[in-house]
Amino acid sequence: MSITELHKLPAIEKLKIIEALWNDLVDDEGSLPELSWHETELKKTEEKFLAGSVEILDWQQAKKELRSQFE
């Protein structure tokens, strides 16, 4: 399937493809490359969390705040 064909799909079909791809990646997690920048960012976030300088939001509130940034 080409990118052009993907663009033509309805949103629900795109979500189904994303879910299938995600599940495939999770099933074969060992084949994913390790990204050093990602580990660095996770460690920074963990340090901020442990220091109490990260605001913790429940998922519903986090989605609301993220969506408001792009409206």
Short mmCIF file of all heavy atoms in Angstrom, two decimals:
data_model
loop_
_atom_site.label_atom_id
_atom_site.label_comp_id
_atom_site.label_asym_id
_atom_site.label_seq_id
_atom_site.Cartn_x
_atom_site.Cartn_y
_atom_site.Cartn_z
N MET A 1 0.85 -1.17 0.00
CA MET A 1 0.00 0.00 0.00
C MET A 1 0.90 1.24 0.00
O MET A 1 1.85 1.33 0.76
CB MET A 1 -0.90 -0.02 1.24
CG MET A 1 -1.80 1.20 1.34
SD MET A 1 -2.94 1.13 2.73
CE MET A 1 -4.16 0.02 2.07
N SER A 2 0.58 2.18 -0.84
CA SER A 2 1.39 3.39 -0.95
C SER A 2 0.91 4.46 0.04
O SER A 2 -0.19 4.36 0.59
CB SER A 2 1.30 3.96 -2.37
OG SER A 2 0.02 4.50 -2.60
N ILE A 3 1.74 5.45 0.23
CA ILE A 3 1.37 6.57 1.11
C ILE A 3 0.13 7.27 0.57
O ILE A 3 -0.76 7.66 1.34
CB ILE A 3 2.55 7.57 1.24
CG1 ILE A 3 3.76 6.90 1.89
CG2 ILE A 3 2.13 8.82 1.99
CD1 ILE A 3 3.54 6.46 3.31
N THR A 4 0.04 7.41 -0.71
CA THR A 4 -1.13 8.05 -1.33
C THR A 4 -2.40 7.28 -0.99
O THR A 4 -3.42 7.87 -0.65
CB THR A 4 -0.96 8.13 -2.86
OG1 THR A 4 0.25 8.84 -3.14
CG2 THR A 4 -2.13 8.84 -3.51
N GLU A 5 -2.32 5.95 -1.04
CA GLU A 5 -3.48 5.13 -0.70
C GLU A 5 -3.82 5.26 0.78
O GLU A 5 -5.00 5.31 1.14
CB GLU A 5 -3.20 3.66 -1.04
CG GLU A 5 -3.13 3.39 -2.54
CD GLU A 5 -2.64 2.00 -2.84
OE1 GLU A 5 -1.60 1.58 -2.28
OE2 GLU A 5 -3.32 1.31 -3.64
N LEU A 6 -2.79 5.34 1.63
CA LEU A 6 -3.03 5.53 3.07
C LEU A 6 -3.76 6.83 3.34
O LEU A 6 -4.65 6.89 4.17
CB LEU A 6 -1.72 5.50 3.84
CG LEU A 6 -1.09 4.14 4.07
CD1 LEU A 6 0.30 4.29 4.68
CD2 LEU A 6 -1.97 3.29 4.96
N HIS A 7 -3.38 7.89 2.65
CA HIS A 7 -4.02 9.19 2.84
C HIS A 7 -5.51 9.15 2.51
O HIS A 7 -6.29 9.92 3.07
CB HIS A 7 -3.34 10.27 1.98
CG HIS A 7 -2.03 10.72 2.51
ND1 HIS A 7 -1.88 11.38 3.71
CD2 HIS A 7 -0.78 10.59 2.01
CE1 HIS A 7 -0.61 11.64 3.92
NE2 HIS A 7 0.08 11.16 2.91
N LYS A 8 -5.89 8.26 1.63
CA LYS A 8 -7.28 8.17 1.20
C LYS A 8 -8.16 7.36 2.15
O LYS A 8 -9.38 7.42 2.06
CB LYS A 8 -7.36 7.55 -0.21
CG LYS A 8 -6.74 8.42 -1.28
CD LYS A 8 -6.78 7.72 -2.62
CE LYS A 8 -6.08 8.55 -3.69
NZ LYS A 8 -6.02 7.85 -4.98
N LEU A 9 -7.55 6.63 3.06
CA LEU A 9 -8.33 5.78 3.97
C LEU A 9 -9.08 6.60 5.01
O LEU A 9 -8.60 7.65 5.44
CB LEU A 9 -7.40 4.81 4.71
CG LEU A 9 -6.75 3.72 3.89
CD1 LEU A 9 -5.74 2.95 4.76
CD2 LEU A 9 -7.79 2.77 3.34
N PRO A 10 -10.21 6.09 5.46
CA PRO A 10 -10.92 6.76 6.56
C PRO A 10 -10.10 6.61 7.85
O PRO A 10 -9.29 5.69 8.00
CB PRO A 10 -12.24 6.00 6.67
CG PRO A 10 -12.20 4.89 5.69
CD PRO A 10 -10.93 4.95 4.93
N ALA A 11 -10.33 7.51 8.78
CA ALA A 11 -9.56 7.54 10.02
C ALA A 11 -9.60 6.21 10.76
O ALA A 11 -8.58 5.75 11.29
CB ALA A 11 -10.07 8.66 10.92
N ILE A 12 -10.75 5.56 10.81
CA ILE A 12 -10.87 4.30 11.54
C ILE A 12 -9.96 3.23 10.95
O ILE A 12 -9.35 2.43 11.67
CB ILE A 12 -12.34 3.81 11.64
CG1 ILE A 12 -12.49 2.67 12.65
CG2 ILE A 12 -12.87 3.38 10.29
CD1 ILE A 12 -12.27 3.08 14.08
N GLU A 13 -9.83 3.20 9.64
CA GLU A 13 -8.94 2.23 8.99
C GLU A 13 -7.48 2.56 9.29
O GLU A 13 -6.67 1.66 9.50
CB GLU A 13 -9.19 2.20 7.48
CG GLU A 13 -10.54 1.64 7.09
CD GLU A 13 -10.77 0.22 7.62
OE1 GLU A 13 -9.85 -0.62 7.55
OE2 GLU A 13 -11.88 -0.05 8.12
N LYS A 14 -7.14 3.84 9.31
CA LYS A 14 -5.78 4.24 9.66
C LYS A 14 -5.45 3.81 11.08
O LYS A 14 -4.35 3.32 11.35
CB LYS A 14 -5.62 5.75 9.51
CG LYS A 14 -5.67 6.23 8.07
CD LYS A 14 -5.60 7.74 8.02
CE LYS A 14 -5.77 8.25 6.61
NZ LYS A 14 -5.78 9.72 6.55
N LEU A 15 -6.41 3.98 11.99
CA LEU A 15 -6.18 3.56 13.38
C LEU A 15 -5.99 2.06 13.49
O LEU A 15 -5.16 1.58 14.28
CB LEU A 15 -7.34 4.03 14.26
CG LEU A 15 -7.39 5.53 14.51
CD1 LEU A 15 -8.70 5.90 15.19
CD2 LEU A 15 -6.21 5.98 15.33
N LYS A 16 -6.73 1.30 12.71
CA LYS A 16 -6.56 -0.15 12.72
C LYS A 16 -5.17 -0.55 12.25
O LYS A 16 -4.54 -1.46 12.79
CB LYS A 16 -7.62 -0.82 11.84
CG LYS A 16 -9.01 -0.80 12.43
CD LYS A 16 -10.01 -1.43 11.49
CE LYS A 16 -11.43 -1.33 12.02
NZ LYS A 16 -12.40 -1.90 11.08
N ILE A 17 -4.66 0.15 11.24
CA ILE A 17 -3.31 -0.11 10.73
C ILE A 17 -2.27 0.25 11.78
O ILE A 17 -1.32 -0.50 12.02
CB ILE A 17 -3.07 0.65 9.41
CG1 ILE A 17 -3.93 0.05 8.29
CG2 ILE A 17 -1.58 0.62 9.03
CD1 ILE A 17 -3.97 0.86 7.02
N ILE A 18 -2.46 1.40 12.43
CA ILE A 18 -1.53 1.82 13.49
C ILE A 18 -1.51 0.77 14.60
O ILE A 18 -0.44 0.39 15.08
CB ILE A 18 -1.93 3.20 14.04
CG1 ILE A 18 -1.66 4.28 13.01
CG2 ILE A 18 -1.19 3.51 15.34
CD1 ILE A 18 -2.26 5.63 13.35
N GLU A 19 -2.68 0.31 15.01
CA GLU A 19 -2.76 -0.69 16.07
C GLU A 19 -2.05 -1.98 15.67
O GLU A 19 -1.30 -2.57 16.46
CB GLU A 19 -4.20 -0.97 16.44
CG GLU A 19 -4.35 -1.92 17.59
CD GLU A 19 -5.81 -2.12 18.02
OE1 GLU A 19 -6.72 -1.77 17.26
OE2 GLU A 19 -6.00 -2.63 19.13
N ALA A 20 -2.26 -2.41 14.43
CA ALA A 20 -1.61 -3.63 13.95
C ALA A 20 -0.10 -3.46 13.92
O ALA A 20 0.65 -4.36 14.33
CB ALA A 20 -2.14 -3.99 12.57
N LEU A 21 0.37 -2.30 13.46
CA LEU A 21 1.81 -2.04 13.43
C LEU A 21 2.38 -2.01 14.84
O LEU A 21 3.45 -2.57 15.11
CB LEU A 21 2.10 -0.72 12.72
CG LEU A 21 1.92 -0.73 11.21
CD1 LEU A 21 1.98 0.69 10.67
CD2 LEU A 21 2.96 -1.61 10.56
N TRP A 22 1.68 -1.33 15.75
CA TRP A 22 2.14 -1.25 17.14
C TRP A 22 2.25 -2.65 17.75
O TRP A 22 3.25 -2.98 18.37
CB TRP A 22 1.20 -0.37 17.96
CG TRP A 22 1.69 -0.22 19.36
CD1 TRP A 22 1.22 -0.87 20.46
CD2 TRP A 22 2.76 0.60 19.81
NE1 TRP A 22 1.93 -0.49 21.58
CE2 TRP A 22 2.89 0.41 21.19
CE3 TRP A 22 3.63 1.48 19.16
CZ2 TRP A 22 3.84 1.06 21.95
CZ3 TRP A 22 4.59 2.14 19.91
CH2 TRP A 22 4.69 1.92 21.28
N ASN A 23 1.21 -3.46 17.59
CA ASN A 23 1.23 -4.81 18.13
C ASN A 23 2.37 -5.63 17.55
O ASN A 23 3.02 -6.41 18.26
CB ASN A 23 -0.11 -5.51 17.90
CG ASN A 23 -1.21 -4.95 18.76
OD1 ASN A 23 -0.95 -4.39 19.83
ND2 ASN A 23 -2.44 -5.05 18.29
N ASP A 24 2.65 -5.45 16.28
CA ASP A 24 3.75 -6.16 15.64
C ASP A 24 5.09 -5.74 16.23
O ASP A 24 5.95 -6.57 16.49
CB ASP A 24 3.72 -5.90 14.13
CG ASP A 24 4.77 -6.71 13.40
OD1 ASP A 24 4.72 -7.96 13.48
OD2 ASP A 24 5.66 -6.10 12.78
N LEU A 25 5.25 -4.44 16.47
CA LEU A 25 6.49 -3.95 17.08
C LEU A 25 6.65 -4.47 18.50
O LEU A 25 7.74 -4.87 18.90
CB LEU A 25 6.51 -2.42 17.09
CG LEU A 25 6.74 -1.75 15.74
CD1 LEU A 25 6.49 -0.26 15.85
CD2 LEU A 25 8.15 -2.03 15.24
N VAL A 26 5.57 -4.46 19.27
CA VAL A 26 5.63 -4.93 20.65
C VAL A 26 5.98 -6.42 20.69
O VAL A 26 6.75 -6.86 21.54
CB VAL A 26 4.28 -4.66 21.37
CG1 VAL A 26 4.22 -5.36 22.71
CG2 VAL A 26 4.09 -3.16 21.55
N ASP A 27 5.42 -7.19 19.76
CA ASP A 27 5.69 -8.63 19.72
C ASP A 27 7.15 -8.93 19.41
O ASP A 27 7.66 -9.98 19.80
CB ASP A 27 4.80 -9.32 18.69
CG ASP A 27 3.35 -9.38 19.12
OD1 ASP A 27 3.07 -9.21 20.33
OD2 ASP A 27 2.48 -9.62 18.25
N ASP A 28 7.82 -8.01 18.72
CA ASP A 28 9.21 -8.23 18.32
C ASP A 28 10.09 -7.10 18.87
O ASP A 28 10.92 -6.54 18.18
CB ASP A 28 9.30 -8.29 16.79
CG ASP A 28 10.63 -8.86 16.32
OD1 ASP A 28 11.34 -9.48 17.13
OD2 ASP A 28 10.96 -8.66 15.14
N GLU A 29 9.87 -6.78 20.15
CA GLU A 29 10.54 -5.65 20.79
C GLU A 29 12.06 -5.74 20.72
O GLU A 29 12.76 -4.73 20.61
CB GLU A 29 10.10 -5.58 22.25
CG GLU A 29 10.52 -4.34 22.97
CD GLU A 29 9.96 -4.30 24.38
OE1 GLU A 29 8.83 -4.79 24.60
OE2 GLU A 29 10.65 -3.77 25.24
N GLY A 30 12.60 -6.94 20.73
CA GLY A 30 14.04 -7.13 20.69
C GLY A 30 14.70 -6.65 19.41
O GLY A 30 15.90 -6.39 19.38
N SER A 31 13.91 -6.51 18.36
CA SER A 31 14.48 -6.08 17.08
C SER A 31 14.54 -4.56 16.93
O SER A 31 15.11 -4.06 15.98
CB SER A 31 13.68 -6.67 15.91
OG SER A 31 12.39 -6.06 15.86
N LEU A 32 13.95 -3.84 17.90
CA LEU A 32 13.96 -2.39 17.82
C LEU A 32 15.34 -1.84 18.19
O LEU A 32 15.97 -2.32 19.13
CB LEU A 32 12.91 -1.79 18.76
CG LEU A 32 11.47 -2.11 18.44
CD1 LEU A 32 10.56 -1.58 19.54
CD2 LEU A 32 11.08 -1.53 17.11
N PRO A 33 15.80 -0.83 17.47
CA PRO A 33 17.09 -0.25 17.81
C PRO A 33 16.99 0.53 19.13
O PRO A 33 15.95 1.09 19.45
CB PRO A 33 17.36 0.71 16.65
CG PRO A 33 16.02 1.05 16.12
CD PRO A 33 15.16 -0.16 16.35
N GLU A 34 18.07 0.51 19.88
CA GLU A 34 18.11 1.29 21.11
C GLU A 34 18.49 2.72 20.75
O GLU A 34 19.43 2.94 20.00
CB GLU A 34 19.11 0.70 22.09
CG GLU A 34 18.65 -0.62 22.65
CD GLU A 34 19.54 -1.12 23.77
OE1 GLU A 34 20.22 -0.29 24.41
OE2 GLU A 34 19.56 -2.33 23.98
N LEU A 35 17.74 3.67 21.26
CA LEU A 35 17.98 5.07 20.96
C LEU A 35 18.54 5.75 22.20
O LEU A 35 17.84 5.92 23.19
CB LEU A 35 16.68 5.75 20.52
CG LEU A 35 15.96 5.07 19.34
CD1 LEU A 35 14.60 5.70 19.13
CD2 LEU A 35 16.79 5.16 18.08
N SER A 36 19.81 6.13 22.14
CA SER A 36 20.46 6.69 23.32
C SER A 36 19.79 7.98 23.79
O SER A 36 19.67 8.22 24.99
CB SER A 36 21.94 6.92 23.06
OG SER A 36 22.12 7.83 21.99
N TRP A 37 19.30 8.80 22.86
CA TRP A 37 18.66 10.05 23.24
C TRP A 37 17.39 9.77 24.04
O TRP A 37 17.05 10.51 24.96
CB TRP A 37 18.34 10.93 22.03
CG TRP A 37 17.28 10.34 21.12
CD1 TRP A 37 17.48 9.56 20.03
CD2 TRP A 37 15.86 10.46 21.27
NE1 TRP A 37 16.27 9.19 19.48
CE2 TRP A 37 15.26 9.74 20.23
CE3 TRP A 37 15.05 11.12 22.19
CZ2 TRP A 37 13.88 9.64 20.07
CZ3 TRP A 37 13.67 11.02 22.03
CH2 TRP A 37 13.11 10.30 20.97
N HIS A 38 16.70 8.68 23.71
CA HIS A 38 15.46 8.35 24.39
C HIS A 38 15.75 7.94 25.84
O HIS A 38 15.07 8.39 26.77
CB HIS A 38 14.75 7.22 23.65
CG HIS A 38 13.36 6.97 24.13
ND1 HIS A 38 12.98 5.77 24.66
CD2 HIS A 38 12.27 7.77 24.17
CE1 HIS A 38 11.71 5.84 25.01
NE2 HIS A 38 11.26 7.03 24.72
N GLU A 39 16.77 7.13 26.03
CA GLU A 39 17.15 6.73 27.39
C GLU A 39 17.57 7.95 28.21
O GLU A 39 17.19 8.07 29.38
CB GLU A 39 18.29 5.72 27.35
CG GLU A 39 18.65 5.19 28.71
CD GLU A 39 19.73 4.12 28.68
OE1 GLU A 39 20.10 3.66 27.59
OE2 GLU A 39 20.19 3.75 29.76
N THR A 40 18.29 8.86 27.60
CA THR A 40 18.72 10.09 28.28
C THR A 40 17.52 10.90 28.74
O THR A 40 17.47 11.37 29.88
CB THR A 40 19.62 10.94 27.35
OG1 THR A 40 20.77 10.16 26.98
CG2 THR A 40 20.06 12.22 28.02
N GLU A 41 16.53 11.06 27.86
CA GLU A 41 15.33 11.84 28.21
C GLU A 41 14.52 11.15 29.30
O GLU A 41 13.98 11.82 30.19
CB GLU A 41 14.48 12.09 26.97
CG GLU A 41 15.10 13.04 25.97
CD GLU A 41 15.43 14.39 26.58
OE1 GLU A 41 14.58 14.97 27.30
OE2 GLU A 41 16.55 14.88 26.35
N LEU A 42 14.44 9.83 29.25
CA LEU A 42 13.72 9.11 30.30
C LEU A 42 14.40 9.30 31.66
O LEU A 42 13.73 9.50 32.68
CB LEU A 42 13.64 7.62 29.97
CG LEU A 42 12.67 7.23 28.84
CD1 LEU A 42 12.84 5.76 28.48
CD2 LEU A 42 11.24 7.53 29.23
N LYS A 43 15.73 9.26 31.66
CA LYS A 43 16.46 9.47 32.91
C LYS A 43 16.25 10.88 33.45
O LYS A 43 16.08 11.08 34.66
CB LYS A 43 17.94 9.18 32.71
CG LYS A 43 18.24 7.71 32.61
CD LYS A 43 19.72 7.43 32.41
CE LYS A 43 19.95 5.94 32.28
NZ LYS A 43 21.34 5.60 32.01
N LYS A 44 16.25 11.87 32.56
CA LYS A 44 16.00 13.26 32.98
C LYS A 44 14.62 13.38 33.62
O LYS A 44 14.45 14.02 34.65
CB LYS A 44 16.10 14.22 31.78
CG LYS A 44 17.49 14.49 31.31
CD LYS A 44 17.41 15.49 30.15
CE LYS A 44 18.71 15.64 29.43
NZ LYS A 44 18.60 16.54 28.26
N THR A 45 13.63 12.78 32.98
CA THR A 45 12.26 12.84 33.49
C THR A 45 12.17 12.13 34.84
O THR A 45 11.53 12.63 35.77
CB THR A 45 11.28 12.21 32.49
OG1 THR A 45 11.37 12.93 31.25
CG2 THR A 45 9.85 12.26 32.99
N GLU A 46 12.83 10.99 34.96
CA GLU A 46 12.82 10.26 36.23
C GLU A 46 13.45 11.10 37.34
O GLU A 46 12.92 11.17 38.46
CB GLU A 46 13.56 8.94 36.10
CG GLU A 46 13.55 8.12 37.37
CD GLU A 46 14.31 6.81 37.25
OE1 GLU A 46 15.26 6.73 36.45
OE2 GLU A 46 13.93 5.88 37.96
N GLU A 47 14.56 11.78 37.03
CA GLU A 47 15.22 12.63 38.03
C GLU A 47 14.31 13.77 38.47
O GLU A 47 14.21 14.07 39.66
CB GLU A 47 16.53 13.18 37.46
CG GLU A 47 17.62 12.13 37.32
CD GLU A 47 18.82 12.61 36.54
OE1 GLU A 47 18.90 13.81 36.18
OE2 GLU A 47 19.71 11.77 36.27
N LYS A 48 13.62 14.38 37.50
CA LYS A 48 12.68 15.46 37.84
C LYS A 48 11.53 14.93 38.69
O LYS A 48 11.10 15.58 39.64
CB LYS A 48 12.13 16.10 36.56
CG LYS A 48 13.14 16.93 35.80
CD LYS A 48 12.52 17.47 34.52
CE LYS A 48 13.53 18.21 33.68
NZ LYS A 48 12.94 18.66 32.41
N PHE A 49 11.04 13.75 38.35
CA PHE A 49 9.96 13.14 39.11
C PHE A 49 10.39 12.88 40.55
O PHE A 49 9.68 13.21 41.50
CB PHE A 49 9.50 11.83 38.45
CG PHE A 49 8.50 11.06 39.25
CD1 PHE A 49 7.18 11.47 39.30
CD2 PHE A 49 8.88 9.94 39.96
CE1 PHE A 49 6.24 10.77 40.05
CE2 PHE A 49 7.96 9.23 40.72
CZ PHE A 49 6.64 9.65 40.76
N LEU A 50 11.56 12.27 40.71
CA LEU A 50 12.06 11.95 42.04
C LEU A 50 12.33 13.21 42.87
O LEU A 50 12.20 13.19 44.09
CB LEU A 50 13.32 11.09 41.96
CG LEU A 50 13.10 9.68 41.38
CD1 LEU A 50 14.44 8.96 41.18
CD2 LEU A 50 12.17 8.86 42.26
N ALA A 51 12.67 14.30 42.18
CA ALA A 51 12.92 15.57 42.87
C ALA A 51 11.62 16.31 43.17
O ALA A 51 11.63 17.34 43.85
CB ALA A 51 13.84 16.45 42.03
N GLY A 52 10.51 15.79 42.66
CA GLY A 52 9.21 16.42 42.91
C GLY A 52 8.94 17.64 42.05
O GLY A 52 8.06 18.44 42.35
N SER A 53 9.68 17.77 40.95
CA SER A 53 9.50 18.95 40.11
C SER A 53 8.71 18.67 38.82
O SER A 53 8.73 19.47 37.89
CB SER A 53 10.86 19.55 39.75
OG SER A 53 11.64 18.62 39.02
N VAL A 54 8.00 17.55 38.80
CA VAL A 54 7.18 17.20 37.65
C VAL A 54 5.72 17.14 38.12
O VAL A 54 5.40 16.49 39.11
CB VAL A 54 7.59 15.82 37.07
CG1 VAL A 54 6.62 15.39 35.98
CG2 VAL A 54 9.00 15.86 36.53
N GLU A 55 4.87 17.85 37.41
CA GLU A 55 3.44 17.81 37.73
C GLU A 55 2.85 16.53 37.16
O GLU A 55 3.04 16.21 35.99
CB GLU A 55 2.72 19.02 37.13
CG GLU A 55 1.25 19.06 37.44
CD GLU A 55 0.53 20.22 36.78
OE1 GLU A 55 1.18 20.98 36.04
OE2 GLU A 55 -0.67 20.35 37.01
N ILE A 56 2.16 15.79 38.00
CA ILE A 56 1.57 14.53 37.56
C ILE A 56 0.10 14.77 37.26
O ILE A 56 -0.64 15.30 38.09
CB ILE A 56 1.73 13.44 38.64
CG1 ILE A 56 3.21 13.21 38.90
CG2 ILE A 56 1.03 12.16 38.21
CD1 ILE A 56 3.48 12.30 40.06
N LEU A 57 -0.31 14.38 36.05
CA LEU A 57 -1.70 14.53 35.62
C LEU A 57 -2.28 13.16 35.31
O LEU A 57 -1.56 12.28 34.84
CB LEU A 57 -1.77 15.39 34.35
CG LEU A 57 -1.18 16.78 34.39
CD1 LEU A 57 -1.20 17.40 33.01
CD2 LEU A 57 -1.94 17.65 35.37
N ASP A 58 -3.58 13.01 35.53
CA ASP A 58 -4.19 11.78 35.06
C ASP A 58 -4.31 11.89 33.55
O ASP A 58 -4.18 12.96 32.95
CB ASP A 58 -5.53 11.50 35.75
CG ASP A 58 -6.62 12.49 35.38
OD1 ASP A 58 -6.83 12.76 34.18
OD2 ASP A 58 -7.29 12.99 36.29
N TRP A 59 -4.52 10.77 32.90
CA TRP A 59 -4.49 10.73 31.44
C TRP A 59 -5.54 11.64 30.82
O TRP A 59 -5.29 12.31 29.82
CB TRP A 59 -4.67 9.29 30.97
CG TRP A 59 -4.62 9.14 29.49
CD1 TRP A 59 -5.55 8.54 28.70
CD2 TRP A 59 -3.60 9.61 28.59
NE1 TRP A 59 -5.16 8.60 27.39
CE2 TRP A 59 -3.98 9.25 27.28
CE3 TRP A 59 -2.42 10.30 28.77
CZ2 TRP A 59 -3.21 9.55 26.17
CZ3 TRP A 59 -1.65 10.60 27.64
CH2 TRP A 59 -2.05 10.23 26.37
N GLN A 60 -6.73 11.71 31.38
CA GLN A 60 -7.79 12.56 30.83
C GLN A 60 -7.37 14.03 30.85
O GLN A 60 -7.56 14.76 29.88
CB GLN A 60 -9.11 12.35 31.58
CG GLN A 60 -9.69 10.96 31.42
CD GLN A 60 -9.89 10.56 29.97
OE1 GLN A 60 -10.33 11.34 29.14
NE2 GLN A 60 -9.54 9.33 29.65
N GLN A 61 -6.79 14.47 31.97
CA GLN A 61 -6.35 15.86 32.09
C GLN A 61 -5.19 16.14 31.13
O GLN A 61 -5.13 17.18 30.50
CB GLN A 61 -5.93 16.18 33.53
CG GLN A 61 -5.53 17.62 33.75
CD GLN A 61 -6.67 18.60 33.51
OE1 GLN A 61 -7.83 18.28 33.72
NE2 GLN A 61 -6.33 19.79 33.07
N ALA A 62 -4.27 15.18 31.02
CA ALA A 62 -3.13 15.35 30.12
C ALA A 62 -3.60 15.51 28.67
O ALA A 62 -3.13 16.40 27.95
CB ALA A 62 -2.18 14.17 30.24
N LYS A 63 -4.56 14.68 28.25
CA LYS A 63 -5.09 14.79 26.88
C LYS A 63 -5.74 16.15 26.66
O LYS A 63 -5.55 16.77 25.62
CB LYS A 63 -6.10 13.68 26.60
CG LYS A 63 -5.48 12.33 26.41
CD LYS A 63 -6.46 11.32 25.84
CE LYS A 63 -7.58 11.01 26.77
NZ LYS A 63 -8.46 9.92 26.30
N LYS A 64 -6.51 16.60 27.65
CA LYS A 64 -7.19 17.89 27.53
C LYS A 64 -6.16 19.02 27.35
O LYS A 64 -6.32 19.88 26.48
CB LYS A 64 -8.03 18.14 28.79
CG LYS A 64 -8.81 19.42 28.76
CD LYS A 64 -9.45 19.68 30.12
CE LYS A 64 -10.92 19.37 30.08
NZ LYS A 64 -11.59 19.70 31.35
N GLU A 65 -5.11 19.00 28.16
CA GLU A 65 -4.09 20.05 28.07
C GLU A 65 -3.33 19.98 26.75
O GLU A 65 -3.05 21.02 26.14
CB GLU A 65 -3.13 19.96 29.25
CG GLU A 65 -3.78 20.41 30.54
CD GLU A 65 -2.80 20.57 31.69
OE1 GLU A 65 -1.58 20.69 31.44
OE2 GLU A 65 -3.28 20.60 32.84
N LEU A 66 -3.01 18.78 26.29
CA LEU A 66 -2.30 18.66 25.01
C LEU A 66 -3.17 19.15 23.86
O LEU A 66 -2.69 19.88 22.98
CB LEU A 66 -1.89 17.20 24.77
CG LEU A 66 -0.72 16.70 25.60
CD1 LEU A 66 -0.59 15.19 25.48
CD2 LEU A 66 0.56 17.39 25.19
N ARG A 67 -4.43 18.77 23.87
CA ARG A 67 -5.33 19.21 22.80
C ARG A 67 -5.49 20.72 22.78
O ARG A 67 -5.56 21.32 21.71
CB ARG A 67 -6.69 18.53 22.95
CG ARG A 67 -6.65 17.07 22.55
CD ARG A 67 -8.00 16.41 22.64
NE ARG A 67 -7.92 15.04 22.19
CZ ARG A 67 -8.48 14.02 22.81
NH1 ARG A 67 -9.22 14.22 23.88
NH2 ARG A 67 -8.35 12.81 22.35
N SER A 68 -5.52 21.34 23.94
CA SER A 68 -5.70 22.79 24.00
C SER A 68 -4.50 23.53 23.39
O SER A 68 -4.63 24.65 22.90
CB SER A 68 -5.93 23.27 25.43
OG SER A 68 -4.74 23.17 26.19
N GLN A 69 -3.34 22.89 23.39
CA GLN A 69 -2.15 23.52 22.81
C GLN A 69 -2.22 23.59 21.28
O GLN A 69 -1.52 24.38 20.67
CB GLN A 69 -0.89 22.74 23.22
CG GLN A 69 -0.56 22.83 24.67
CD GLN A 69 0.64 21.98 25.04
OE1 GLN A 69 1.42 21.59 24.19
NE2 GLN A 69 0.77 21.69 26.31
N PHE A 70 -3.04 22.75 20.69
CA PHE A 70 -3.10 22.67 19.23
C PHE A 70 -4.40 23.18 18.63
O PHE A 70 -4.67 22.99 17.47
CB PHE A 70 -2.84 21.22 18.79
CG PHE A 70 -1.49 20.74 19.19
CD1 PHE A 70 -1.33 19.95 20.32
CD2 PHE A 70 -0.36 21.09 18.48
CE1 PHE A 70 -0.08 19.51 20.71
CE2 PHE A 70 0.90 20.67 18.86
CZ PHE A 70 1.05 19.88 19.98
N GLU A 71 -5.22 23.81 19.44
CA GLU A 71 -6.50 24.34 18.93
C GLU A 71 -6.30 25.70 18.33
O GLU A 71 -5.44 26.44 18.62
CB GLU A 71 -7.53 24.38 20.06
CG GLU A 71 -7.95 23.01 20.48
CD GLU A 71 -8.94 23.03 21.65
OE1 GLU A 71 -9.06 24.06 22.36
OE2 GLU A 71 -9.60 22.01 21.83
#
